[in-house]
Amino acid sequence: MRALPICLLAVMLSGCTMLSRSPVEPVKSTATTPAPEPVKPKPVRPAPVRIYTNAEELVGKPFRDLGEVSGDSCQVSNQDSPPNIPTARKRLQVNASKMKANAVLLHSCDITSGTPGCYRQAICVGSALNVSAK
């Protein structure tokens, strides 16, 4: 007699679990597949800007002076790393390339103090040139 209520309970529970299930329908995607993004071309790197330290190196080479150009490296406070002349020269080259120059005649590189906004500053000044190949 004890087995009968346990069997009925098992049948009722299995029947309830069958009622709570809903048939599974495949999910329909309303979104379309995204189109592949166009391939971005690699950025064009400007030609390297050569630094001339002596004007005699330009003798016999045709060139055009594009104007004065400068580059700097700033030490904002006493705790920052000191200003760097190679960094100032690199920025000089970058600024010259923005002027469409392919060479720079370097006039000077100096480290100065008391520049507004900088504790100490390395600055390089030169002339941006467009040197023609023979």
Side-chain angles (χ1 to χ4, degrees), residues 32-115:
T32 59
T33 57
E37 292 189 28
V39 177
K40 295 179 184 177
K42 291 184 179 180
V44 177
R45 298 187 99 179
V49 175
R50 181 170 178 195
I51 294 182
Y52 292 97
T53 55
N54 191 348
E56 293 174 1
E57 295 177 70
L58 292 167
V59 173
K61 295 181 181 177
F63 66 90
R64 196 171 98 215
D65 189 350
L66 301 175
E68 191 171 286
V69 66
S70 66
D72 68 335
S73 174
C74 179
Q75 177 183 5
V76 178
S77 70
N78 192 21
Q79 289 81 25
D80 289 341
S81 60
N84 193 337
I85 287 181
T87 301
R89 287 175 65 138
K90 183 55 99 174
R91 290 180 179 161
L92 174 81
Q93 289 176 299
V94 168
N95 291 338
S97 72
K98 290 178 183 176
M99 297 172 68
K100 306 290 187 217
N102 61 3
V104 172
L105 177 59
L106 184 64
H107 299 305
S108 66
C109 284
D110 297 313
I111 294 181
T112 61
S113 298
T115 307

